[in-house]
Amino acid sequence: MRRFLVALPPGALMALVMGACAQLQPQFEGKVESDVDVAAVAAPPSEDKPEVPPRMQAEFDACLAGLRDDAAAAGISAATFTANTRDLVLDPGVLALLNRQPEFTTPIWDYMAGLVDEERVADGRAMLARHADTLARAQQRYGVDPATVVAVWGVESDYGRTFGTRPLLVSLATLSCFDRRQAFFRGELFSALQIIQSGDIDADRLRGSWAGAFGHTQFMPSTFQRIAVDFDGDGRRDLIGSVPDALGSTAHYLQRAGWRSGQPWGYEVRVPKGFDARLAGRTDRRALSDWLRRGIERVDGRPIDLPGDTRAALLLPAGVEGPAFLVFKNFDAIYAYNASESYALAIAHLSDRLRGGGGFATPWPTDDPGLSRKERKELQALLLARGHDIGEVDGIIGSRTRDAIRQEQQRLGHAVDGRAGQRLLRALRAQPQAPAGPDALAQVGRWKLQGATDAAGQPIAAVAPHGKPVHAIVLSDGSLGIEGGCNHMGGRYDIDAQGRLVVQEIQSTLMACADQALMTADSAVAGLLQGASAWRIAESYPEQLYLEHADGRRSHWVAVRPAP
Ligand SMILES: [Ca+2]
């Protein structure tokens, strides 16, 4: 299929590949913009590995050589260090990810809809049954209930489906030698080398997120060293190859983070009308009895069965109009796993769903709720069917999907924000395909030029003697025809990888023409097409197209439908 109507901003090619960042420092908070489990999947190295400049590699080699003494001080033998750092090639991709600014702030309802959907609940219940013995043993030893442990697993790696594929030593060594967090990542690099040296996990299997989190529940190497346990008794701590080791280690982590056995993480609550939202905040703790006096109550009306002096905080993730939560010590234990309140709420809520609970009683304050992963895939399939080049249907709303969403929102007259929500999904379900054929421009037929300017900024399409359009352009299946004025021009065009319309070839047949103004206009049009031949489709509407030319000029094309 020829792919049209794609407007990729330059530099938008960096996929949304984010580390899961479990146990990373709070500086990373807010950088996880999409599903945590999806975030844990790094793109295959071959796809996003930039060329390494020789000088940078030389700097990298020298840096690694300089780490030898510190590694020895951390208990790493010279043999281990040499064997595992000798042939490392740095990966500039992880530096780009370290400095990546989120292009899109995910509303809490989108975040929750993707992380706690029916699929993840059903999968989690199956895992509760399948690993019941291990989970019971973990509860006995560490006091953490099965549903919470499984919820962490589900959010961190979709129950082991999405681990991240980057070689950990490459990522950590690169981050140890460049950019702004070298000291932190050197500690993680040494921990990773210790893991290899101890025989817990082989170097070639040690793969994970760009930032170094790995395994079923995405531990950082230093967390592994402090917390990981051999829970299946084979003599090795292996959070990649052993589900029991991963589940036991996660329970151990939560215990060490202050888990109180038998206590709930918190409850969804109702706040009274006119409640002072300034009282909310995870670190703003009060006695439970104080909250109850202020009129807070569980949404199901049942009593909160904890002592009145239990410390509790109120969370209003979307303000007083949205769902409200009263949270206790165990919420903080989950928060310690990855310092993000949205993240902790997703795990807490998923654990409730795994225990048989339902969704939130109070809806999110939006008229356009978020999509489950299944619905995200459905939306992507509908975008593909309409001719948008969004790549694979993978449920990941990346920059290409967002661009396609913006175009459809514009076409439909929705607010143009690039967000994947229920409103757009419903609209596209109602008209699953573009009106005619796969070639969205070809079916439009004829286009006339309006509003283009020449290099001096003078309008060139204003010339319309005899009241007729100067030019009509026909784009059809790779070929292009221009009519009107004195010239007949034909040529070929293509769409490049960035979604720009590129005119490959122009043939112009100059006909005798007495009208100098038309001649001038035609030359200007030919110049536009031939000189700066890269066009980017800036905006598109049914039968209208705004092109941005490589030199920054814009032209506006309007379809002229052939008479029926
Ligand atoms: Ca083991």
Side-chain angles (χ1 to χ4, degrees):
M1 184 195 297
R2 190 155 282 281
R3 281 151 174 173
F4 284 102
L5 307 183
V6 177
L8 255 195
L13 289 175
M14 183 60 79
L16 81 166
V17 177
M18 297 294 299
C21 304
Q23 297 93 43
L24 270 185
Q25 303 300 307
Q27 285 95 314
F28 281 80
E29 184 175 9
K31 296 200 93 183
V32 179
E33 72 165 21
S34 68
D35 291 3
V36 176
D37 78 318
V38 162
V41 193
S46 60
E47 269 182 31
D48 61 346
K49 206 163 205 172
E51 198 75 14
V52 178
R55 236 179 60 195
M56 204 175 171
Q57 178 66 37
E59 195 185 326
F60 180 60
D61 294 340
C63 165
L64 285 180
L67 294 181
R68 189 171 283 272
D69 289 348
D70 286 347
I76 295 152
S77 74
T80 299
F81 188 85
T82 304
N84 290 286
T85 58
R86 186 169 43 201
D87 297 322
L88 290 187
V89 176
L90 82 112
D91 179 2
V94 300
L95 300 174
L97 288 163
L98 176 69
N99 291 308
R100 183 173 171 280
Q101 298 298 318
E103 56 163 296
F104 194 85
T105 308
T106 306
I108 176 88
W109 42 86
D110 287 347
Y111 184 86
M112 296 294 290
L115 280 180
V116 188
D117 58 17
E118 295 307 321
E119 231 176 311
R120 209 179 305 263
V121 172
D123 289 345
R125 287 182 183 155
M127 292 303 167
L128 278 176
R130 187 181 306 167
H131 301 286
D133 291 349
T134 300
L135 290 161
R137 213 151 48 80
Q139 180 165 25
Q140 200 170 25
R141 188 173 312 172
Y142 303 113
V144 183
D145 64 290
T148 301
V149 174
V150 169
V152 171
W153 186 21
V155 167
E156 282 292 345
S157 73
D158 198 18
Y159 311 108
R161 291 191 183 99
T162 56
F163 274 1
T165 57
R166 286 176 188 267
L168 225 58
L169 290 178
V170 171
S171 302
L172 292 173
T174 301
L175 293 162
S176 292
C177 289
F178 296 96
D179 226 305
R180 57 196 164 81
R181 301 209 61 214
Q182 296 181 23
F184 169 75
F185 284 113
R186 281 174 191 190
E188 296 301 329
L189 174 65
F190 295 157
S191 294
L193 289 167
Q194 287 162 0
I195 292 168
I196 293 165
Q197 181 168 276
S198 69
D200 281 324
I201 305 176
D202 298 338
D204 56 343
R205 286 175 55 240
L206 200 52
R207 289 169 176 267
S209 81
W210 67 268
F214 66 97
H216 283 274
T217 47
Q218 297 284 291
F219 274 31
M220 289 297 287
S222 62
T223 311
F224 179 102
Q225 288 297 76
R226 282 190 298 116
I227 304 283
V229 292
D230 171 21
F231 211 56
D232 62 9
D234 71 347
R236 304 189 334 156
R237 303 180 297 167
D238 183 358
L239 303 191
I240 293 176
S242 164
V243 171
D245 284 7
L247 298 181
S249 299
T250 298
H252 185 212
Y253 185 94
L254 291 169
Q255 182 208 38
R256 292 275 290 270
W259 189 266
R260 301 212 173 147
S261 191
Q263 261 198 22
W265 62 268
Y267 295 109
E268 188 189 350
V269 294
R270 237 184 279 287
V271 298
K273 279 247 177 300
F275 186 82
D276 183 358
R278 286 173 303 181
L279 296 175
R282 191 182 60 85
T283 54
D284 216 347
R285 314 215 146 244
R286 290 162 193 278
L288 172 60
S289 54
D290 186 2
W291 291 115
L292 298 178
R293 258 199 309 279
R294 290 169 190 272
I296 302 283
E297 56 175 9
R298 279 176 70 173
V299 287
D300 57 12
R302 289 161 65 187
I304 295 177
D305 192 17
L306 287 168
D309 62 354
T310 304
R311 307 301 287 172
L314 182 74
L315 298 185
L316 298 172
V320 281
E321 298 303 317
F325 307 93
L326 202 59
V327 301
F328 312 111
K329 181 78 183 162
N330 285 350
F331 186 85
D332 286 340
I334 301 171
Y335 178 88
Y337 208 94
N338 185 353
S340 149
E341 285 173 16
S342 309
Y343 167 92
L345 188 62
I347 288 178
H349 182 47
L350 179 58
S351 74
D352 280 351
R353 296 289 314 271
L354 295 180
R355 294 182 196 102
F360 295 136
T362 305
W364 294 109
T366 174
D367 58 357
D368 187 13
L371 302 180
S372 69
R373 289 170 296 165
K374 207 169 146 193
E375 289 166 331
R376 287 174 195 184
K377 288 180 186 161
E378 183 188 353
L379 177 68
Q380 287 183 316
L382 288 164
L383 290 170
L384 275 180
R386 295 193 68 88
H388 295 282
D389 181 11
I390 58 162
E392 297 284 300
V393 170
D394 54 9
I396 300 174
I397 307 298
S399 53
R400 287 202 289 178
T401 301
R402 287 194 205 292
D403 284 334
I405 288 171
R406 285 189 195 98
Q407 289 170 38
E408 289 298 327
Q409 288 173 323
Q410 194 140 39
R411 183 181 66 77
L412 291 159
H414 295 182
V416 180
D417 59 8
R419 188 182 148 253
Q422 293 287 349
R423 181 180 302 142
L424 182 65
L425 178 61
R426 278 196 302 269
L428 293 187
R429 273 177 185 157
Q431 35 171 201
Q433 286 198 330
D439 186 330
L441 290 188
Q443 53 93 16
V444 168
R446 302 160 77 82
W447 300 76
K448 66 179 182 182
L449 180 65
Q450 290 186 340
T453 55
D454 64 18
Q458 296 299 313
I460 56 171
V463 188
H466 326 300
K468 289 185 178 161
V470 174
H471 286 89
I473 181 168
V474 181
L475 297 175
S476 165
D477 194 31
S479 67
L480 158 150
I482 296 164
E483 303 163 7
C486 299
N487 295 345
H488 288 287
M489 290 188 278
R492 290 183 303 107
Y493 70 96
D494 213 336
I495 305 287
D496 72 9
Q498 276 73 48
R500 289 177 303 217
L501 181 67
V502 178
V503 176
Q504 303 287 5
E505 184 192 352
I506 288 282
Q507 291 150 357
S508 175
T509 311
L510 188 62
M511 296 165 73
C513 185
D515 189 329
Q516 190 55 43
L518 277 180
M519 290 282 287
T520 306
D522 283 354
S523 305
V525 170
L528 262 182
L529 296 174
Q530 283 173 308
S533 66
W535 298 353
R536 170 183 170 275
I537 299 176
E539 299 169 41
S540 66
Y541 306 91
E543 305 188 6
Q544 286 194 65
L545 193 63
Y546 286 87
L547 300 180
E548 195 171 278
H549 302 265
D551 60 4
R553 281 175 290 172
R554 281 165 76 98
S555 57
H556 177 197
W557 301 77
V558 179
V560 181
R561 283 201 178 281

